[in-house]
Amino acid sequence: MTSAVTLIHSASLSSAAEYAYAATAPANARLVFLAGSCPLDADGSTVGVGDYAAQAASCIENMTIALRAAGATIRDVISTRVLVASTRQADLVTAWEVVRDAFGDHDVPSTLMGVTVLGYDDQLVEIEAVAAVVDR
Protein backbone atom coordinates (compact mmCIF):
# COMPACT_ATOMS: atom_id res chain seq x y z
CA MET A 1 0.00 0.00 0.00
CA THR A 2 1.37 3.42 -0.92
CA SER A 3 1.18 6.36 1.41
CA ALA A 4 -1.13 9.32 0.81
CA VAL A 5 1.57 11.60 2.22
CA THR A 6 3.70 13.72 -0.12
CA LEU A 7 6.92 15.00 1.41
CA ILE A 8 8.23 18.34 0.16
CA HIS A 9 11.92 19.18 0.07
CA SER A 10 13.05 22.64 -1.03
CA ALA A 11 16.37 23.35 -2.72
CA SER A 12 16.01 26.91 -1.39
CA LEU A 13 16.31 25.74 2.23
CA SER A 14 19.27 24.15 4.01
CA SER A 15 19.92 20.50 3.31
CA ALA A 16 21.37 20.14 6.84
CA ALA A 17 17.93 19.25 8.23
CA GLU A 18 17.31 15.51 8.23
CA TYR A 19 13.63 15.86 7.35
CA ALA A 20 11.31 17.31 4.74
CA TYR A 21 10.28 20.90 5.36
CA ALA A 22 6.62 20.28 4.53
CA ALA A 23 4.17 17.51 3.75
CA THR A 24 0.74 17.29 2.18
CA ALA A 25 -2.10 14.80 2.05
CA PRO A 26 -4.92 14.67 -0.51
CA ALA A 27 -8.34 16.11 0.34
CA ASN A 28 -9.83 12.63 0.72
CA ALA A 29 -7.30 11.57 3.38
CA ARG A 30 -8.44 10.60 6.87
CA LEU A 31 -6.19 12.27 9.42
CA VAL A 32 -5.05 10.27 12.43
CA PHE A 33 -3.93 12.33 15.45
CA LEU A 34 -1.87 10.23 17.84
CA ALA A 35 -1.49 11.00 21.51
CA GLY A 36 2.11 11.43 22.57
CA SER A 37 3.76 8.04 22.40
CA CYS A 38 5.50 7.29 25.69
CA PRO A 39 8.16 4.74 26.69
CA LEU A 40 5.76 2.59 28.70
CA ASP A 41 5.45 -1.19 28.68
CA ALA A 42 2.12 -3.03 28.83
CA ASP A 43 1.89 -2.73 32.62
CA GLY A 44 2.55 1.04 32.53
CA SER A 45 6.15 0.94 33.72
CA THR A 46 8.66 3.30 32.16
CA VAL A 47 11.20 1.37 30.08
CA GLY A 48 14.83 2.33 29.50
CA VAL A 49 15.15 4.45 32.63
CA GLY A 50 18.01 6.90 32.10
CA ASP A 51 18.50 5.85 28.45
CA TYR A 52 17.36 8.35 25.79
CA ALA A 53 17.88 5.94 22.88
CA ALA A 54 15.99 3.08 24.54
CA GLN A 55 13.10 5.35 25.42
CA ALA A 56 12.95 6.76 21.88
CA ALA A 57 12.87 3.20 20.50
CA SER A 58 10.06 2.28 22.90
CA CYS A 59 8.11 5.36 21.83
CA ILE A 60 8.50 4.36 18.16
CA GLU A 61 7.32 0.83 18.97
CA ASN A 62 4.26 2.11 20.84
CA MET A 63 3.52 4.65 18.10
CA THR A 64 3.64 1.86 15.50
CA ILE A 65 1.11 -0.14 17.53
CA ALA A 66 -1.22 2.88 17.80
CA LEU A 67 -0.88 3.54 14.06
CA ARG A 68 -1.75 -0.09 13.28
CA ALA A 69 -4.87 0.18 15.47
CA ALA A 70 -5.91 3.20 13.38
CA GLY A 71 -5.29 1.39 10.08
CA ALA A 72 -2.03 3.21 9.36
CA THR A 73 1.71 2.58 9.26
CA ILE A 74 4.79 4.68 9.90
CA ARG A 75 4.78 5.46 6.14
CA ASP A 76 1.46 7.29 6.66
CA VAL A 77 2.88 9.71 9.24
CA ILE A 78 2.78 13.29 7.97
CA SER A 79 4.57 15.05 10.85
CA THR A 80 6.14 14.45 14.26
CA ARG A 81 7.12 16.34 17.37
CA VAL A 82 9.86 14.75 19.48
CA LEU A 83 9.99 15.93 23.10
CA VAL A 84 13.12 15.22 25.13
CA ALA A 85 13.41 16.03 28.83
CA SER A 86 16.88 17.55 28.78
CA THR A 87 18.73 20.83 28.38
CA ARG A 88 21.63 19.03 26.68
CA GLN A 89 21.62 19.09 22.89
CA ALA A 90 23.48 15.75 22.84
CA ASP A 91 20.53 14.06 24.58
CA LEU A 92 18.13 15.50 22.00
CA VAL A 93 20.38 14.25 19.19
CA THR A 94 20.54 10.76 20.75
CA ALA A 95 16.74 10.51 20.77
CA TRP A 96 16.45 12.09 17.31
CA GLU A 97 18.85 9.59 15.72
CA VAL A 98 16.59 6.71 16.82
CA VAL A 99 13.51 8.46 15.43
CA ARG A 100 15.24 9.38 12.16
CA ASP A 101 16.48 5.83 11.67
CA ALA A 102 13.00 4.40 12.33
CA PHE A 103 11.50 6.61 9.62
CA GLY A 104 14.28 5.95 7.11
CA ASP A 105 13.67 7.67 3.79
CA HIS A 106 10.16 8.71 4.91
CA ASP A 107 11.72 11.84 6.42
CA VAL A 108 8.57 13.62 7.63
CA PRO A 109 8.58 17.23 8.84
CA SER A 110 9.59 17.12 12.49
CA THR A 111 10.19 19.34 15.47
CA LEU A 112 12.74 18.34 18.11
CA MET A 113 12.31 20.07 21.46
CA GLY A 114 14.02 20.00 24.82
CA VAL A 115 11.50 20.25 27.64
CA THR A 116 11.73 20.50 31.40
CA VAL A 117 9.72 17.44 32.37
CA LEU A 118 7.39 14.83 30.88
CA GLY A 119 4.35 13.18 32.40
CA TYR A 120 5.50 9.79 33.70
CA ASP A 121 8.09 8.88 36.32
CA ASP A 122 11.57 8.61 34.74
CA GLN A 123 10.21 9.57 31.29
CA LEU A 124 12.79 11.22 29.03
CA VAL A 125 11.19 11.00 25.55
CA GLU A 126 7.74 11.42 24.00
CA ILE A 127 6.78 11.45 20.33
CA GLU A 128 3.64 13.07 18.91
CA ALA A 129 2.54 12.24 15.38
CA VAL A 130 -0.13 12.92 12.79
CA ALA A 131 -0.80 10.45 9.97
CA ALA A 132 -2.88 10.64 6.80
CA VAL A 133 -4.61 7.58 5.32
CA VAL A 134 -6.71 7.15 2.21
CA ASP A 135 -9.11 4.31 2.87
CA ARG A 136 -9.70 2.02 -0.09
Side-chain angles (χ1 to χ4, degrees), residues 43-134:
D43 74 0
S45 299
T46 303
V47 302
V49 173
D51 186 334
Y52 290 92
Q55 288 201 8
S58 178
C59 290
I60 291 291
E61 181 180 340
N62 289 338
M63 181 183 69
T64 302
I65 293 167
L67 285 164
R68 188 177 318 120
T73 72
I74 202 166
R75 303 290 298 177
D76 298 310
V77 172
I78 195 167
S79 68
T80 66
R81 182 176 299 134
V82 181
L83 309 172
V84 181
S86 180
T87 59
R88 290 176 14 102
Q89 186 179 32
D91 297 334
L92 277 69
V93 170
T94 296
W96 171 250
E97 288 174 344
V98 173
V99 174
R100 179 201 61 214
D101 291 351
F103 277 86
D105 65 353
H106 186 65
D107 57 345
V108 299
S110 297
T111 299
L112 175 62
M113 296 174 29
V115 299
T116 304
V117 66
L118 291 166
Y120 293 99
D121 291 341
D122 301 312
Q123 182 183 1
L124 299 173
V125 180
E126 186 164 333
I127 303 171
E128 298 176 4
V130 176
V133 178
V134 175

